[in-house]
Structure formats: structure tokens, C-alpha cells
Amino acid sequence: MSAKLIKGTEIREEILEEITAEVKEIKEKHGVVPGLVTILVGQNPASISYVTLKIKTANRVGFKEIQDNQSETVSEADLLALIDRYNNDDSINGILVQLPLPKHIDEKKVLNAIDPDKDVDGFHPVNVGRLMIGGDEVKFPPCTPAGIQEMIVRAGVETSGAEVVVVGRSNIVGKPIANMMLQKGPGANSTVTVVHTRTRDLAAHCLRADILIVAAGVPGLVKPEWIKPGACVIDVGVNRVGEKVSEKTGKKIAVLKGDVDFDAAREIAGAITPVPGGVGPMTITMLMKNTLKSLKFSLGLA
Ligand code: NAP
């Protein structure tokens, strides 16, 4: 039987509608809306397209949105001063610095200069620590892992007591999602295994998973025979495997493939995310959720 498709595109719409309604209500009651600033240094085409999508989404849900474009030659000191200004601006609840930064700027220094209470990306060491502690300590879960957890929950998949296997141990996906799934609380309480390139017998671990989360960046790494029948499979991988001409625009676009052999896996899994249209749309959505949360913290509503 074919697995249920967990579509990020549909879940995104649900969540963005919830956020829009909540922003409207807060505006009516408190006269404020969430403020998000996106700092873009230089003209990297991929960064411009990410930033454009973030701005479009922020406008859609009714945020105050500031796009702060800085020249490629901005000094590190000036960038740090700019962040300090936004840290002290009460109308700004979230600060994003689009990566990569030019080579003359220390990325770590810049990211660590963001006030942890405005770090809606959730990568500041303070927020990584809060995530590790769990429960009420958590302010801003990093966006892609938060999106993965939200998809699992909204798909109605039981996480309590479930065997979760995470393929990959990066700081942006593997480690945080593993940490989130083992916390005591709703949408978690799982037994978690993390596997990576040094793991012996990857297949045997994957085969035990009730929930298999794959974030390796290797197209088709997970074979259908590694999947437990009925498992929930979350494919985080986004791999460019070629180019094609878009039927809509006539322009050349990338052909994307996940880390899971989708067509075959779909016949074994109980639920599965497609690539594209699965985890991808969730990241910016959760960024909006974190920014709204930041305003709610500052108003004492969360
Ligand atoms: P990363 O930093 O390259 O980490 C990949 C992890 O996978 C590493 O821990 C690596 O193990 C492990 N790995 C690689 N090949 C493996 C193999 N053959 N067997 C077992 N483990 C293997 O990647 P990332 O940033 O986490 O991203 C992973 C994928 O998710 C990429 O395709 C990326 O584009 C995608 N992604 C998507 C979104 C989104 O949809 N919004 C967001 C973030 C990332 P070692 O540690 O041992 O090297």
C-alpha cells in the first residue's frame, strides 16, 4: 500500500494562517506586530532568493519587516554596531543575518553578537543550551528541526516510546532534532539513535525506526529494504541532481532529489515526506513562528 504523503506545502499553509490570525489578534489588543530584520551582506544570488522568500512570507503574515542590505565591503565593526542597534530596538523581535558572510568577517562573532532573545534562527550557543535543557527553557528551536517535529505531530504519528533514528549529526539538523525528540514532553518522549558515516551497519539501525529522519545530503542513500513497514519517513535531504526546463516559466530549474529512494520507499512506509514539497517549506514557516513567539515573550504572553 502506498504511504500517506506528509506535505510541507499544506502544513505551511495551515501554520501561516494560524500565525496571521494570532498577529491580527495581538495587533488589536496590544497595538504591535512582530518585527523581523533581515541583514544581507553583498549580492550572493542564492542569499538574495532566500531573503526574498523570507520577506514575502513575513509580509504575508502581517509582520513589520525590515530588509537591511549592506555592501560586500562593510567592515566587521560596522556590522557588529548594526546588530547592536537592532538588539536595542524594541520594535524588532527577530534578527537574521543571511549566511554566508564575506571572508573578511568572522561569521561566528557576528552570530554570537545577536541578542539570544532575538535569535529566531535558534543557533546562538545560549539557545542551543536552552534546547538541550528542554521544557520551559526552550525559546527558539532551530527552524528546520522544529519544522520536522511539527510535521510528525500534525501527521498524527505517535512519538512517545517510538524508536527514532536520525541519519546525520550536523549542528543545524541531525543533532538538534535528535535532542528535541528525546525530550520529556508532547511530540517527543522518543528513544533516539543518531547514525553517521562511522556507524557500523546503517541499514540495521534504520530498519528499527518507527520514525526515520534522514539528513545526510546523499541522494537515494536510504534504500527501501532499510525501512520498517509502516514507518514514518522524514526526508530532509535536498540534492541537486540535474536541471530541467520549468513548464510554468520556461526557465531552467534544478532537479531535486531527497536522501531516500522515494518511489520504492513509498510502498513500504506508512507516511513519507516528498522532496521537493516536504520539509523544505517548513523552515521559513517556523522562522515566522519563532518571531511571533519572540514578540509574545516580550509582551508576557508566552
Ligand atoms: P551536513 O552538515 O553535510 O551533515 C550531513 C550528515 O550526514 C553528517 O553528520 C554526515 O556524517 C552524515 N552522512 C553523510 N553521508 C553519510 C552516509 N553515507 N552514511 C551515514 N551518514 C552520512 O548536512 P546538513 O546541513 O545536516 O544537511 C543534510 C541535508 O539536508 C542536505 O541535503 C541539505 O541540503 C538538507 N537540508 C534541508 C533543509 C530544508 O529542507 N529546509 C535544511 C537544512 C538542510 P559525518 O558527521 O560522519 O560526516
Side-chain angles (χ1 to χ4, degrees):
M1 208 180 71
S2 216
K4 170 185 168 179
L5 273 189
I6 309 176
K7 293 185 184 162
T9 41
E10 284 175 9
I11 298 174
R12 168 184 62 194
E13 293 308 305
E14 274 174 40
I15 298 174
L16 291 181
E17 275 173 30
E18 290 164 14
I19 295 174
T20 307
E22 220 177 323
V23 168
K24 197 165 167 256
E25 199 186 321
I26 292 176
K27 190 177 175 185
E28 280 164 12
K29 283 191 185 152
H30 301 272
V32 284
V33 296
L36 178 68
V37 61
T38 310
I39 301 172
L40 173 68
V41 180
Q43 295 287 319
N44 177 322
S47 296
I48 293 173
S49 79
Y50 287 137
V51 165
T52 307
L53 200 53
K54 285 172 188 173
I55 294 165
K56 208 173 134 195
T57 313
N59 285 330
R60 174 182 161 181
V61 294
F63 288 4
K64 167 188 162 181
E65 199 284 324
I66 296 176
Q67 188 186 357
D68 193 325
N69 290 349
Q70 295 291 319
S71 115
E72 182 85 27
T73 56
V74 68
S75 71
E76 186 180 283
D78 283 351
L79 196 56
L80 290 172
L82 187 70
I83 289 172
D84 190 50
R85 210 182 80 210
Y86 288 122
N87 279 344
N88 291 299
D89 180 341
D90 287 344
S91 72
I92 295 297
N93 306 101
I95 302 171
L96 282 181
V97 178
Q98 185 64 46
L99 301 180
L101 292 173
K103 288 204 168 55
H104 66 278
I105 297 175
D106 182 345
E107 251 176 36
K108 209 166 155 188
K109 205 166 166 186
V110 168
L111 294 183
N112 289 356
I114 298 172
D115 178 348
D117 290 346
K118 296 189 178 187
D119 164 47
V120 285
D121 257 340
F123 292 136
H124 192 288
V126 168
N127 284 318
V128 175
R130 287 169 170 165
L131 191 79
M132 187 74 168
I133 296 168
D136 291 345
E137 284 292 327
V138 183
K139 281 208 154 182
F140 308 120
C143 301
T144 301
I148 294 170
Q149 191 178 36
E150 192 84 36
M151 292 179 100
I152 295 170
V153 170
R154 288 189 188 231
V157 175
E158 180 59 83
T159 59
S160 181
E163 291 282 342
V164 171
V165 176
V166 179
V167 183
R169 53 177 167 180
S170 72
N171 288 330
I172 63 164
V173 190
K175 277 195 257 180
I177 189 61
N179 183 29
M180 289 161 78
M181 297 308 294
L182 65 77
Q183 295 292 343
K184 203 166 190 167
N189 279 325
S190 307
T191 303
V192 180
T193 306
V194 182
V195 298
H196 45 79
T197 54
R198 307 298 168 91
T199 300
R200 291 194 299 264
D201 204 349
L202 204 60
H205 286 288
C206 292
L207 200 47
R208 277 191 299 104
D210 300 311
I211 301 172
L212 180 61
I213 301 169
V214 192
V218 180
L221 172 69
V222 172
K223 310 287 175 274
E225 58 274 21
W226 297 12
I227 295 169
K228 181 176 172 177
C232 169
V233 179
I234 307 289
D235 189 353
V236 191
V238 180
N239 307 291
R240 286 170 180 257
V241 292
E243 276 189 339
K244 64 176 180 185
V245 175
S246 160
E247 282 176 21
K248 258 193 199 166
T249 62
K251 286 184 183 162
K252 270 192 184 170
I253 53 167
V255 176
L256 301 178
K257 202 169 181 284
D259 288 349
V260 177
D261 178 352
F262 178 80
D263 291 334
R266 199 179 172 183
E267 299 307 314
I268 298 163
I272 189 166
T273 60
V275 178
V279 176
M282 295 301 291
T283 302
I284 291 181
T285 306
M286 300 316 285
L287 181 71
M288 300 301 136
K289 202 164 173 174
N290 276 351
T291 308
L292 171 60
K293 221 169 153 190
S294 178
L295 173 67
K296 285 163 72 180
F297 282 130
S298 73
L299 294 172
L301 302 173

